Amino acid sequence: MTSQGSNSRNWQNMHYDILVKIFMALRVTDLIFAVSKVCSSWRAASRDPVLWETLDLNVLLCNAFDILPSNSNGLLDSHSSWLNAMHILNNASILSCKTVKRLIFNYSIYLKDEHLVYAATRFPMVKHLALPPCNEITVDGFRSAIQWWKGLESLTVPFISNASSIIQVIGANCKNFSMLKVMFSFDLDFAMSLFMSIPELKVLSLRSSIVDKNALNLILTLMGSLEALNISHCLLGQIPRFPGPLLAIEQLDNFILGKASRLREFFTCQVQSCSICQFEYDDDNIFGWYEYDKGLWRDDEIRSLAF
């Protein structure tokens, strides 16, 4: 028992700024289910906007619940899983007062239209969005979500169907959009859609993508506002307009390098000497970054796109 004259301090009366600094080291689920329920002063501190700049669902889902269905092959796709996730998203929205600016979905989750729209309605102030590689997002679903995310500035999307149409939706609705990271085939059609829809794009990462040489030439020629480009760990070549083999190119020619020299940042690498490039090919010499490491999704030589 503590005597009345002791120097012990009541944690409930700890200074607000100190509480916030301590809470910054905690997981989102700790803030939601533990800290915010201790007392009124702790709940007030747990609502500080500093704690809610970023909501990373990789931490939230992986550490909070054992919700991987036994038949999911690593994908969080069961109904009960999403009920848990939505419950946490709703509580996070209340605590954060909807001030989350960066939303990062769990890498292993199977994202559908209703999940994306649910997140958009809870966090309408999101400026930076990272989607998982496995998703079933339609153009209509993305359009519904983007109505809440008019202020979107950057998007990381490893794979998505109807990519050109998605880019058109962004261009029509998000006037401040300036940074994009994709990890799928960057062909001439997509490059043209990008130029037509978001001509003022400033930052583009094609890290670990299959990149068509003509598409690369197009964006370097026409997108005058582009400041940073990352083609590290890419498979460069000529993507056929009709089904057929990719004509791979081992190194960039001086023509493309000359155009890229105007950029503030330009990242590339040599396949022969790059360990990541070597690991991106399987035993049958088939290119696939997703088989190597999900860290390729989170990392980027362009620091503004890394998370």
Side-chain angles (χ1 to χ4, degrees), residues 207-226:
R207 193 177 199 260
S208 300
S209 300
I210 299 176
V211 179
D212 182 79
K213 178 183 176 181
N214 293 325
L216 182 61
N217 181 42
L218 184 148
I219 61 171
L220 287 172
T221 302
L222 299 182
M223 301 188 73
S225 297
L226 195 66

Side-chain angles (χ1 to χ4, degrees), residues 43-198:
R43 182 171 180 82
S46 69
R47 296 171 68 100
D48 192 281
V50 171
L51 302 172
W52 298 101
E53 282 287 323
T54 297
L55 181 57
D56 188 344
L57 300 187
N58 287 283
V59 176
L60 184 154
L61 292 179
C62 290
N63 291 339
F65 296 103
D66 180 17
I67 58 176
L68 283 172
S70 58
N71 61 345
S72 67
N73 295 320
L75 297 178
L76 308 180
D77 58 358
S78 74
H79 181 65
S80 60
S81 298
W82 262 110
L83 287 179
N84 286 333
M86 289 179 176
H87 175 62
I88 296 174
L89 286 173
N90 187 57
N91 279 276
S93 173
I94 295 171
L95 269 185
S96 67
C97 299
K98 301 186 176 184
T99 59
V100 170
K101 300 294 194 304
R102 183 186 296 270
L103 178 59
I104 305 168
F105 280 93
N106 186 285
Y107 175 85
S108 299
I109 208 160
Y110 192 77
L111 195 66
K112 299 182 180 179
D113 286 346
E114 56 266 34
H115 308 143
L116 188 66
V117 173
Y118 186 91
T121 59
R122 267 68 184 174
F123 304 105
M125 297 179 67
V126 164
K127 296 181 181 297
H128 309 284
L129 177 65
L131 299 179
C134 296
N135 62 75
E136 205 174 279
I137 299 171
T138 66
V139 176
D140 288 340
F142 193 85
R143 183 180 292 109
S144 296
I146 217 68
Q147 299 307 311
W148 296 88
W149 285 333
K150 298 281 189 176
L152 191 67
E153 297 177 5
S154 76
L155 173 66
T156 294
V157 52
F159 173 81
I160 197 166
S161 298
N162 303 308
S164 294
S165 298
I166 296 294
I167 288 299
Q168 292 171 14
V169 171
I170 293 174
N173 292 277
C174 307
K175 302 308 179 185
N176 295 323
F177 192 86
S178 62
M179 297 185 290
L180 175 67
K181 178 176 180 177
V182 299
M183 301 178 73
F184 47 78
S185 294
F186 189 77
D187 59 18
L188 194 57
D189 290 338
F190 183 73
M192 182 58 72
S193 295
L194 189 60
F195 166 65
M196 296 295 292
S197 302
I198 316 176

Side-chain angles (χ1 to χ4, degrees), residues 222-258:
L222 299 182
M223 301 188 73
S225 297
L226 195 66
E227 299 175 357
L229 174 63
N230 187 5
I231 58 170
S232 297
H233 323 309
C234 287
L235 179 59
L236 184 66
Q238 293 182 345
I239 300 177
R241 302 297 296 270
F242 302 99
L246 174 75
L247 301 176
I249 300 173
E250 292 189 0
Q251 60 183 10
L252 297 172
D253 57 40
N254 291 332
F255 183 72
I256 289 181
L257 290 174

